[in-house]
Amino acid sequence: QQWRFALEEIDGSVQDAYAQRFKALVEERSGGDIEVLIYPYGTLGTSAQLSELIQNGTLEFAFASPGHLGSVVPEVQVMNLHFLFSEDNEANAEVLRDSPTIYGPLADAYMRRNLKLLAMIPEGWMAWTGNRPLRTPEDFQGFRIRTMVSPLLLEAYRAYGANPAPLPYAEVYSALQLNTIDGQVNPIFAIEEMSFYEVQDYLVMPRHLQFVASVVTNPQFYDGLDAETQAMLQDVKEELDDYIFQVQRDYNAERLNVIRENSDIEIIELSEEEREAFHALSLPVRERYVEMTGEQGERILEGLQEEFAAAEAGEFV
Ligand code: 6CS
């Protein structure tokens, strides 16, 4: 049989590395019974369209990042809340790997929309790029920042005073080039591979949010697999959790060097004091999240906060 796996990113991306390794492991462990076909971004549709193809069973596997999926599964927008993740990326990775909250109540929220959550993976710290430096909330006044389409992301940037503009990924480069937007936010590897740095003057590192992406499958397809194949998928997920953590770390570090070598973009790391101004403004957005998602969402938010704290203290099991 053939399993189709669609990506929200192009060849050479973190999602591509994940899917390539997924393909190798699945094909080997199924003894050649299963062939995995990978569809990079641009071949099947936008992130939102990929999720629909999973929901209606046209596709078997896809990446679904919370920044887009929030329109369908509001609860997943907890992953878009600024300054919620730990500063310690190993702690973040531990939570994403084994979180009782993510693979419990959050997975239930996916399931209510006919999506089965298989994995939640880190892709690195998000950075702002702009045609002006973004050190303070004042710098964001009237700034047209492209965001992914989840409603909470718009709230997050409105809280800083910006004018957020949701757009599909494929439209970002030309919108920056044509100046219909002033900036955007993405992890470093993506800013390099999508060439955004070529049309931007500043690259700002606020460490306000990790980019994470979920791997989803169609529940009816999954239920139709025999127990052995389901167990194989779980083993593959666990192996890939460790692999992808290293990939995203390396890609983000290497490609920052590529950006430095190929452009004169100014790179700005925000100080703790500068970050604190954004942190303070981001906190009311957590209340908006709870308003949007009710008790279920509140439980997810609290669960994750506890898990990040436990992981930071080395007490996450
Ligand atoms: O900004 C976006 O829309 C996209 N960014 C990344 C790094 N992956 C997928 C997502 O759709």
Side-chain angles (χ1 to χ4, degrees), residues 33-244:
D33 286 349
I34 301 168
E35 184 191 3
V36 178
L37 304 174
I38 299 171
Y39 295 86
Y41 188 63
T43 53
L44 292 179
T46 61
S47 294
Q49 288 164 336
L50 298 184
S51 300
E52 279 170 29
L53 294 174
I54 294 288
Q55 284 172 311
N56 68 28
T58 308
L59 251 183
E60 287 79 25
F61 297 90
F63 270 102
S65 47
H68 293 289
L69 189 63
S71 317
V72 181
V73 184
E75 294 86 346
V76 77
Q77 297 178 105
V78 71
M79 295 290 164
N80 299 133
L81 290 172
H82 295 185
F83 299 97
L84 183 72
F85 280 78
S86 168
E87 295 268 313
D88 172 357
N89 257 346
E90 303 264 351
N92 292 328
E94 265 182 57
V95 172
L96 293 176
R97 216 171 359 229
D98 290 321
S99 163
T101 301
I102 293 174
Y103 299 103
L106 186 57
D108 295 343
Y110 275 67
M111 199 55 101
R112 287 196 291 278
R113 283 83 180 192
N114 208 40
L115 294 166
K116 179 165 173 62
L117 174 67
L118 287 179
M120 185 78 78
I121 65 152
E123 299 196 21
W125 289 112
M126 295 188 87
W128 297 324
T129 65
N131 56 13
R132 56 166 112 136
L134 297 161
R135 291 179 195 274
T136 67
E138 289 70 47
D139 295 329
F140 267 106
Q141 299 311 305
F143 187 85
R144 290 166 303 172
I145 186 163
R146 177 272 175 175
T147 63
M148 293 175 277
V149 305
S150 290
L152 202 76
L153 282 174
L154 309 192
E155 302 274 348
Y157 283 96
R158 282 193 194 114
Y160 297 155
N163 291 344
L167 278 180
Y169 199 32
E171 292 172 30
V172 180
Y173 183 88
S174 58
L176 290 171
Q177 199 176 33
L178 296 170
N179 277 315
T180 53
I181 51 173
D182 302 315
Q184 63 83 45
V185 48
N186 254 307
I188 301 291
F189 83 86
I191 291 170
E192 192 276 326
E193 74 189 10
M194 299 298 281
S195 305
F196 300 153
Y197 71 97
E198 291 174 0
V199 285
Q200 295 275 267
D201 299 324
Y202 299 90
L203 174 63
V204 183
M205 317 250 216
R207 280 181 296 114
H208 64 306
L209 185 66
Q210 276 280 312
F211 188 98
V212 304
S214 54
V215 180
V216 293
T217 185
N218 174 275
Q220 290 72 41
F221 158 76
Y222 182 83
D223 288 344
L225 299 173
D226 58 37
E228 200 187 330
T229 309
Q230 290 181 353
M232 182 262 283
L233 268 178
Q234 183 60 25
D235 287 346
V236 167
K237 174 227 179 281
E238 282 164 26
E239 221 176 295
L240 285 172
D241 282 334
D242 293 328
Y243 170 70
I244 208 63

